[in-house]
């Protein structure tokens, strides 16, 4: 089955700098890659996704890149703010499968400090 | 935005007892999921449910686990009997389709003692 590796377990950046979180996956059938943010005591909150028909997607300060050959995708948060501090999870899904199941990475604790 | 509600947020139960975790998914969603997260580890898929049936379950979904959504009410995860290793945070999720965004609840922290 699919395995998703999230390479940074913790990441500390200065406010205003960029943060990059990298994930790799194993199943070539995976074609949908969402990112979730989890703040303390709250649910996972969807932040951005990318589908395999594109290699880049941007939503305001968030950029997702996808390299299908390398089976790698990354989340770039530009001009970071203290409220970006949270745990970020990457995930992968085979949209051809019947179930909609997501396979998650371990999560990256992002700390944005002044 | 759309919300998935989970009740209770924390439950403590004696080993061997039965527990039911309740989830109120987004109202027009058709696909429902349970995920398990042990402290410090990744979120792992347990099961998904569509049209009154289990579509896929992982090896973590032991025989003691069951899910149902009677009459479009709560989507429930029942564990009977519970074991110590069932202690974890259980997240419910739902989506409109199998290719659409998945919305998660806040999780129920289950502690089996």
């Amino acid at each position: 089955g699919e395995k998703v590796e999230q390479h940074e377990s913790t990441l500390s950046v200065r406010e205003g700098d960029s943060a990059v979180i990298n994930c790799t996956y194993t199943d070539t059938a995976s074609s949908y890659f969402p990112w979730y943010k989890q703040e303390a005591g709250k649910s996972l909150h969807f932040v951005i996704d990318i589908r395999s028909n594109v290699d880049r997607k941007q939503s305001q300060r968030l950029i997702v890149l996808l390299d299908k050959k390398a089976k790698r995708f990354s989340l770039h948060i530009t001009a970071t703010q203290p409220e970006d501090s949270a745990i970020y999870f990457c995930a992968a899904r085979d949209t051809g499968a019947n179930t909609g199941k997501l396979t998650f990475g371990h999560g990256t604790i992002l700390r944005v400090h002044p | 935005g759309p919300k998935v509600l989970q009740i209770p947020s924390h439950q403590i139960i004696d080993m061997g007892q039965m527990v039911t975790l309740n989830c109120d998914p987004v109202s027009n969603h058709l696909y429902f999921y349970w995920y398990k997260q042990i402290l410090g580890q990744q979120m792992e898929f347990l099961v998904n449910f569509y049209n009154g049936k289990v579509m896929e379950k992982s090896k973590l979904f032991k025989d003691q686990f069951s899910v149902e959504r009677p009459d479009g009410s709560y989507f429930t995860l029942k564990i009977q009997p519970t074991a110590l290793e069932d202690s974890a945070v259980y997240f419910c999720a739902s989506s409109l389709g199998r290719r659409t965004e998945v919305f998660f609840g806040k999780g129920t922290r289950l502690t089996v003692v």
Side-chain angles (χ1 to χ4, degrees), chain B residues 2-107:
Chain B
K3 286 196 189 317
V4 174
L5 301 175
Q6 286 188 246
I7 304 162
S9 57
H10 193 179
Q11 182 137 12
I12 301 172
I13 195 142
D14 291 327
M15 183 177 65
Q17 297 297 304
M18 181 194 77
V19 68
T20 301
L21 308 183
N22 295 298
C23 171
D24 188 9
V26 178
S27 61
N28 62 335
H29 283 186
L30 301 175
Y31 286 78
F32 312 108
Y33 313 83
W34 283 102
Y35 286 80
K36 177 181 179 181
Q37 185 181 40
I38 296 175
L39 188 64
Q41 299 185 26
Q42 71 198 103
M43 187 107 55
E44 301 217 61
F45 170 81
L46 282 176
V47 66
N48 92 322
F49 192 81
Y50 167 73
N51 200 25
K53 292 194 288 279
V54 169
M55 299 295 289
E56 182 179 354
K57 56 187 180 182
S58 71
K59 58 180 184 285
L60 296 179
F61 193 79
K62 304 181 295 184
D63 291 344
Q64 298 91 320
F65 288 31
S66 62
V67 290
E68 63 175 356
R69 192 179 187 226
D71 302 322
S73 59
Y74 284 149
F75 174 52
T76 61
L77 173 66
K78 186 187 293 187
I79 309 174
Q80 181 178 27
T82 48
L84 293 176
E85 61 265 26
D86 296 330
S87 295
V89 180
Y90 291 84
F91 289 91
C92 174
S94 69
S95 64
L96 181 59
R98 57 184 172 82
R99 299 182 184 194
T100 58
E101 184 182 335
V102 180
F103 293 84
F104 284 80
K106 287 189 181 184

Side-chain angles (χ1 to χ4, degrees), chain A residues 1 16-17 19 27 43 45 50 58 69-71 86 88-90 99-100 107:
Chain A
D17 288 350
D27 190 351
S43 60
H45 174 70
I50 191 165
Q58 181 164 3
K69 276 189 184 170
K71 297 202 205 67
Y88 289 81
F89 292 92
C90 63
T99 67

